[in-house]
């Protein structure tokens, strides 16, 4: 699907107030899409709406927002049903909400693990479940944002990796089931990206995780958004931005032992200094 094809299409964008989600929303606004932003914080939603309106292609574009915690499945179902009536059924659902709090596995509480799964995995399940019935008649696009850490397990991200690995499996199964409705499913798997969320991650990263992260390239949100739309144009299911990210996924498939050896080498090097 080309970016230009989003003109006058209705897009529900979850987590579109900062980072990758906002970068994608800006591209959609320039393309002329009608955008419904969904996130938890009202002030950030309003700021994002103001930015998108300045980029809008035409005056008829609808750019609105609602506060929503997608981990709450009942609230998600109720709000989505209301929005379909007032804003219109989506042509595209793009899930970008997520969080990561890196820590050693023994320091990750049950509550953190549970919350991570609810936000990163259940959140996508909840939006898809609520909107799929409204998309069946006209087809469309569903995008779930996983991570490079949804393909490669990374030290310090046990709860995050669990949620993102699971999201890829969920999306692959979903893709098979909704083909008959002419609905396409894609999964965005960005590497480390310079976002407000990444800054938060750095506050709790174990030294070993920092070392692995520093050895990888850091993309901007805009670079990820551009790669995302290139992937859609090429009808890719798994969209991995960046040359290094693509290489790592390829190596994980072909030489998983080598990927593990490289990361273990960094972990041992750091551990010997502690």
């Amino acid at each position: 699907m080309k970016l230009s094809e989003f003109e006058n299409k209705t897009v529900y964008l979850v987590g579109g107030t900062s980072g990758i989600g906002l970068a994608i929303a800006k591209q959609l606004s320039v393309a002329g899409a009608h955008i419904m932003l969904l996130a938890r914080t009202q002030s950030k939603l309003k700021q994002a709406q103001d930015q998108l309106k300045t980029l809008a292609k035409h005056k008829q574009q609808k750019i609105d927002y609602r506060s929503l915690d997608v981990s709450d499945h009942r609230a998600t179902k109720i709000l989505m049903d209301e929005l379909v009536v007032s804003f219109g059924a989506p042509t595209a659902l793009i899930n970008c909400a997520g969080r990561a709090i890196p820590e050693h596995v023994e320091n990750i509480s049950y509550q953190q693990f549970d919350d991570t799964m609810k936000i990163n995995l259940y959140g996508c399940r909840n939006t898809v479940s609520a909107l799929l019935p409204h998309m069946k008649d006209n087809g469309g696009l569903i995008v779930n944002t996983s991570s490079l850490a949804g393909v490669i397990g990374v030290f310090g991200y046990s709860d995050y990796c669990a949620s993102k690995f699971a999201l890829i499996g969920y999306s692959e199964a979903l893709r098979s089931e909704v083909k008959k409705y002419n609905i396409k499913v894609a999964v965005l798997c960005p590497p480390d990206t310079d976002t407000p969320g990444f800054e938060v991650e750095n506050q709790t990263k174990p030294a070993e995780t920092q070392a692995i992260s520093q050895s990888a390239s850091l993309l901007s949100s805009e670079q990820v958004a551009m790669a995302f739309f290139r992937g859609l144009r090429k009808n890719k299911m798994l969209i991995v931005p960046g040359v290094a990210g693509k290489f790592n996924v390829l190596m994980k498939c072909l030489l998983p032992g080598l990927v593990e050896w490289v990361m273990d080498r960094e972990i041992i090097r750091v551990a010997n200094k502690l």
Side-chain angles (χ1 to χ4, degrees):
M1 187 174 185
K2 296 179 181 178
L3 180 57
S4 60
E5 294 178 47
F6 282 95
E7 184 169 4
N8 293 318
K9 299 296 193 299
T10 299
V11 180
Y12 285 35
L13 207 163
V14 182
T17 59
S18 66
I20 295 170
L22 181 58
I24 289 173
K26 287 179 178 178
Q27 293 288 321
L28 290 169
S29 185
V30 171
H34 304 297
I35 304 170
M36 173 54 67
L37 293 172
L38 298 152
R40 289 180 292 183
T41 307
Q42 286 275 359
S43 58
K44 291 182 179 180
L45 283 162
K46 182 63 172 68
Q47 290 173 6
Q49 181 195 43
D50 291 343
Q51 292 182 58
L52 298 183
K53 283 188 172 181
T54 64
L55 297 170
K57 184 175 183 178
H58 50 73
K59 295 180 180 179
Q60 293 74 32
Q61 269 177 266
K62 296 184 294 181
I63 300 175
D64 207 346
Y65 66 85
R66 295 291 187 278
S67 177
L68 175 66
D69 179 355
V70 292
S71 68
D72 185 334
H73 72 96
R74 290 187 180 88
T76 300
K77 178 68 166 62
I78 291 169
L79 179 59
M80 293 304 191
D81 284 346
E82 292 175 356
L83 288 177
V84 166
V85 175
S86 63
F87 196 78
T91 301
L93 164 64
I94 302 177
N95 285 305
C96 289
R99 73 97 183 264
I101 307 175
E103 254 295 0
H104 291 97
V105 65
E106 65 267 25
N107 294 333
I108 295 177
S109 66
Y110 174 85
Q111 190 62 58
Q112 177 180 323
F113 196 98
D114 190 45
D115 288 344
T116 299
M117 295 297 286
K118 284 179 177 176
I119 294 169
N120 294 355
L121 177 61
Y122 286 25
C124 292
R125 176 266 167 204
N126 293 340
T127 59
V128 171
S129 177
L131 290 173
L132 181 58
H134 305 288
M135 299 177 68
K136 286 182 177 180
D137 290 341
N138 299 311
L141 171 70
I142 295 172
V143 179
N144 293 322
T145 301
S146 179
S147 168
L148 196 57
V151 182
I152 301 170
V154 181
F155 187 108
Y157 282 100
S158 58
D159 59 332
Y160 182 77
C161 287
S163 67
K164 294 300 189 177
F165 268 77
L167 185 56
I168 291 178
Y170 170 79
S171 300
E172 289 181 349
L174 177 67
R175 178 174 179 263
S176 296
E177 293 193 32
V178 300
K179 272 186 178 179
K180 60 185 177 184
Y181 304 115
N182 196 31
I183 297 174
K184 295 182 179 180
V185 176
V187 183
L188 177 62
C189 293
D192 283 347
T193 307
D194 189 10
T195 66
F198 185 70
E199 293 179 9
V200 173
E201 289 178 41
N202 284 334
Q203 296 173 14
T204 61
K205 276 182 181 175
E208 296 89 343
T209 312
Q210 288 280 10
I212 294 170
S213 182
Q214 288 169 5
S215 66
S217 58
L218 184 68
L219 298 185
S220 69
S221 297
E222 291 72 25
Q223 287 175 308
V224 172
M226 290 173 63
F228 166 66
F229 287 110
R230 284 197 299 269
L232 288 184
R233 188 173 66 245
K234 296 177 182 179
N235 290 317
K236 289 188 175 182
M237 194 271 182
L238 196 70
I239 302 173
V240 183
V243 174
K246 291 181 177 65
F247 177 78
N248 286 331
V249 171
L250 180 62
M251 289 298 99
K252 176 66 175 180
C253 294
L254 300 178
L255 298 167
L258 177 61
V259 175
E260 182 178 344
W261 177 81
V262 170
M263 288 198 294
D264 283 351
R265 185 180 60 178
E266 280 298 303
I267 293 166
I268 293 169
R269 181 182 65 81
V270 172
N272 287 337
K273 293 182 178 180
L274 297 178

